Amino acid sequence: MPPLGAAFLPPIRDGLRFRQRCLSGGLVQALICNTLPGIDPDAAPLAAARRRPVCSGRAMMVAPSAAADPLPLRSMDPVSTSPEPRSRPPSRPPSGRFRQRGAAAVLTAVSLLMLIPVLALAINIGQLYYAQRDLEKQATLAALSAVQISSGCAVGGVPAQMSAITAEVTRVIAANSVDGANSVQGLLTGINGSPAVEVGTIVSTSGFRKFTPLTVGNENVTAVRVNLSRPQPVPFINLYGGGGMLYASATAEQPAYASFRIGTTTLNLDQGALNSLLSGLLGTSVNLTAVGYQGIAAARVTLGNLALAAGVNSLNDLLTLDLTAPQALRIISTALAATGDATSGTAAGLISGLAGQSYDNPAVIQNVFGQIFNATGTTLNPAVTSIVGAIPFVDGLGLLTALGQAAAVGGPSIQLPVTVSIPGLAGIGVFLKVIEPEQTSNPPGRPGRDSTNTPYTTAQSSQIRLQARINLSLLALPLVRLALDVDAGNGLAELLSVNCPSTTNPNARATIQTTSSLITATVGTFSGSATANPPQDPQSGTVVNVLFLVRIIATKMSQTLFGVTHPAQTATGPTFPQALPLLSSSSNLTSLVTSLLASSLQINILGLGLDVGGILAAILSPVVALLDLILDPLLSTLGVSLGEAGVTVDSITTQRPSIVNTCLPGTVNCQ
C-alpha cells in the first residue's frame, strides 16, 4: 500500500511545473494561462489533481484526468488583442482565521459580566478589612490610655476608680472614631458575655499570658481589657446577605508598685540582752557575740532565695508554709548562703548554728513567712512575684527577731533578764508578750485605697506588751510594789502614690504617709514576787501600809498615747533601699508614765487622803528612768519606735504601658 499522501504528489508537481512554464513564456503566455477558468495553482491538491494543464505552442488546453469530469474548454484568438472577458472566479469560503472575527468582543462582554461580582466582592472585603482594622485600632488605643488611668501614672500616681477608667475609654474612642461620639455606645457592648471595659491582672499559663478579670477595687489590678463590637458595614453589592458583627479586644498592662517597711531593727541592746531576748523568743539558748550580731544585721536576703531554700515552686507557696523555728532557721541560713557575699555567708553560719540547737518542744508556726512579710491570707499578684523575688530587702537581724516573735505569738510571757542600778531597788521583773509579730517588710503593692477606703498597701510594726514589776524602798518604807504595763500598738505606713518616670522627672517616685505606734500605759500595784511568771495584771490597791497610819494607794489607771500621723514623705529612685528622714513627736513614753503616776498615786495619813501625786511622781523618778534604760531599747530592737516614725523604701517598680494580647474573650488560650 502506498504511503499516505503519495497519490497527491504527481498532480502537485505537475501544477507547479505548469505555473513555472507560464511565467517563463513571457507576458502573453502568462495572460493566456491566467485567463483559463478554474486554473488556480494555489488550490488544494485535490483540485490540482482534477485539472492537469498542458501548454503546447500557441494553444493551451487542460486535459481532464481519467477520473474527473471533462472541464469546459475556451479558445482564444491569438491574433486578437481584445480578449473575451473572463468570468469571475467562484467565491471560496474564508479561511479559519477569518471565520473567528468578532469572537473577542463576545468574550469581553462575557468576562465583564463575570468581573462585576468579583469587583463587588473585592470592594466588600476591603470595607470589612478597613472596618476591622479601625475597630482594632480603637480598642488598642483605648486600652493603652485606660491602663495609665488604672495604674495612676497619668493621674498623679493614684489609681482611678472604674468610673474614671470607663470615661477614659469613651473619650479615646470618640476621639479616634470616624463617626465621633455618636458611635461610642454602639461599640461598648462587650464580647461573649464579657463587659466592654474590664480590670484584672496577667497570669502566665502554659506559655500564654492571659488576662484574669478581678473585681473593682482589688489590690492586684494591673491590667485593663477593652472589648468592642460593631455591625459589619453596608456592602457595596449585597452578595452574601450581610448582617454580621465585627469584634476587637485589646489587653494593656502597666504595673506601678512600691515596697517599704516601717521601723528599723537596730542593735540597741547589748549582746547579753539580745541573747536573752532571742533565747526567750526562739525557745533555745542563744549565745552570739556582738560581732556576730553586727554581721547578721548587715546581711540581706531575698524572698526568691528563701523560696529556693524552702524547695517551693512559688512565693505564694513560701508564704503559706507551716514550720517550726528550727526548720525556718535552716531555710534562712540556706538563703543567706546562696547570696554569695562574705557577710551573708558568715551570718548563714551563725544562724545555722542556732538551727542546730536543742529546742523545748518547738511549736509549728502557721504561715510563718506570711506573718513576717505582711502577706498572711493573701495571694501575691503574679506580676509582683517576678519583682519581689529579687529584692534584697530583708536584713538578717530583722528576720531573726521577727521569726522569734512569730514563734512566741500565743505563747506565755517571756521573762527578760534585766541588770539595772536604781537606788532603793529591791527586785524587778520585765516580761515580754508578743501579740502580733513584726513585719520586716511588705511585698510590692499598688498605691491608693479601694471603694471601702481601705489602703491597698501598708506596712506595720509589731504589737507587743511589756510588763514591768518593780519592788523598791521609798522613804525608808519597805517593798513598794508598782506594776507598769506598756502595750505598743502597730505603727502604720501607707503607700499614697507611685509616680511613673516622665519627661520632667526621669525617676519613679513613691509617696508614703506614716502614723507612729499607739501606746497605752497602765499603772497600778501587784502582789507577790516581782519575778513571778506569768506576771499579775496591774490592779488598784495599797502600795505601802505603815501601821495603818500612812498608806500609799495606787489606782489602776490607763492612758493612751495615740499615734501621730506625720506629713507624707516621698522617696525618689533609682537607689534603694532608701531610708526616709526619721519623724518624731513631742510625746513619748516617759512623759506618758510620769503623767499617769501623778494621777494614780495618793498618800493617806491618819485617814486623810492627800493628793500629792506630783510629789510622789518626782520621788519615783528612778522608776521613770527605767523606761529609758530598758524599755525603749527593747522596743526599738523589736521594731517599735515610740513617738517616732521611720520608713525605709526598698523598691519602686514601674513600667511603660504595653499591649499584652489582642485575643477575644472566650476563645482558645484567652480567658
Side-chain angles (χ1 to χ4, degrees), residues 627-660:
L627 303 178
D628 295 328
L629 293 175
I630 299 176
L631 299 187
D632 272 345
L634 182 60
L635 289 173
S636 180
T637 300
L638 296 174
V640 179
S641 299
L642 302 181
E644 296 179 338
V647 173
T648 301
V649 179
D650 294 302
S651 68
I652 302 176
T653 303
T654 60
Q655 296 178 8
R656 293 183 177 180
S658 60
I659 294 295
V660 178

Side-chain angles (χ1 to χ4, degrees), residues 181-201:
N182 296 328
S183 65
V184 173
Q185 297 306 319
L187 301 179
L188 297 176
T189 55
I191 301 175
N192 294 333
S194 297
V197 183
E198 300 176 275
V199 294
T201 188

Side-chain angles (χ1 to χ4, degrees), residues 217-240:
N218 190 291
E219 63 182 354
N220 293 326
V221 170
T222 60
V224 174
R225 181 166 66 181
V226 177
N227 305 312
L228 304 181
S229 61
R230 57 157 292 179
Q232 293 180 1
V234 178
F236 177 71
I237 296 180
N238 196 346
L239 300 175
Y240 48 84

Side-chain angles (χ1 to χ4, degrees), residues 277-471:
L277 174 62
L278 291 176
S279 296
L281 291 174
L282 295 173
T284 188
S285 176
V286 178
N287 187 21
L288 298 176
T289 64
V291 175
Y293 278 117
Q294 291 173 357
I296 294 175
R300 294 290 184 272
V301 67
T302 68
L303 279 180
N305 286 342
L306 286 173
L308 290 175
V312 295
N313 296 325
S314 68
L315 296 184
N316 287 315
D317 293 338
L318 174 69
L319 299 177
T320 57
L321 288 178
D322 300 333
L323 304 168
T324 63
Q327 292 172 332
L329 286 171
R330 292 188 187 96
I331 291 175
I332 295 173
S333 173
T334 304
L336 285 171
T339 303
D341 59 275
T343 300
S344 298
T346 302
L350 295 174
I351 294 179
S352 178
L354 292 179
Q357 297 280 106
S358 60
Y359 290 79
D360 300 331
N361 299 320
V364 175
I365 309 170
Q366 301 293 324
N367 302 326
V368 54
F369 291 110
Q371 294 186 55
I372 294 173
F373 296 108
N374 192 19
T376 303
T378 62
T379 301
L380 287 182
N381 186 337
V384 171
T385 59
S386 61
I387 301 171
V388 69
I391 300 175
F393 64 125
V394 185
D395 67 88
L397 182 59
L399 193 56
L400 190 60
T401 56
L403 173 62
Q405 293 176 55
V409 170
S413 298
I414 301 169
Q415 185 172 0
L416 304 175
V418 175
T419 302
V420 63
S421 177
I422 297 178
L425 181 65
I428 183 173
V430 177
F431 305 87
L432 170 68
K433 186 174 182 62
V434 180
I435 301 172
E436 193 171 315
E438 175 190 6
Q439 296 165 346
T440 59
S441 186
N442 69 308
R446 66 195 303 245
R449 299 189 172 201
D450 61 17
S451 56
T452 63
N453 205 33
T454 301
Y456 287 127
T457 306
T458 59
Q460 60 185 23
S461 60
S462 57
Q463 185 175 352
I464 61 176
R465 174 176 296 167
L466 285 174
Q467 299 166 295
R469 302 296 179 260
I470 305 170
N471 287 344

Side-chain angles (χ1 to χ4, degrees), residues 581-650:
L582 186 66
L583 301 174
S584 302
S585 62
S586 57
S587 301
N588 52 48
L589 183 60
T590 301
S591 61
L592 178 63
V593 174
T594 301
S595 175
L596 274 176
L597 290 174
S599 302
S600 64
L601 297 179
Q602 286 185 332
I603 293 181
N604 188 299
I605 300 177
L606 299 177
L608 299 176
L610 302 177
D611 188 7
V612 290
I615 299 174
L616 290 176
I619 296 174
L620 291 174
S621 58
V623 177
V624 178
L626 177 68
L627 303 178
D628 295 328
L629 293 175
I630 299 176
L631 299 187
D632 272 345
L634 182 60
L635 289 173
S636 180
T637 300
L638 296 174
V640 179
S641 299
L642 302 181
E644 296 179 338
V647 173
T648 301
V649 179
D650 294 302

Side-chain angles (χ1 to χ4, degrees), residues 483-509:
L484 171 64
D485 284 2
V486 177
D487 289 295
N490 300 116
L492 185 69
E494 175 187 348
L495 180 61
L496 298 182
S497 64
V498 174
N499 295 92
C500 298
S502 62
T503 55
T504 57
N505 194 333
N507 295 318
R509 306 179 305 282

Side-chain angles (χ1 to χ4, degrees), residues 519-535:
I519 305 297
T520 299
T522 303
V523 295
T525 188
F526 68 97
S527 59
S529 171
T531 57
N533 191 10

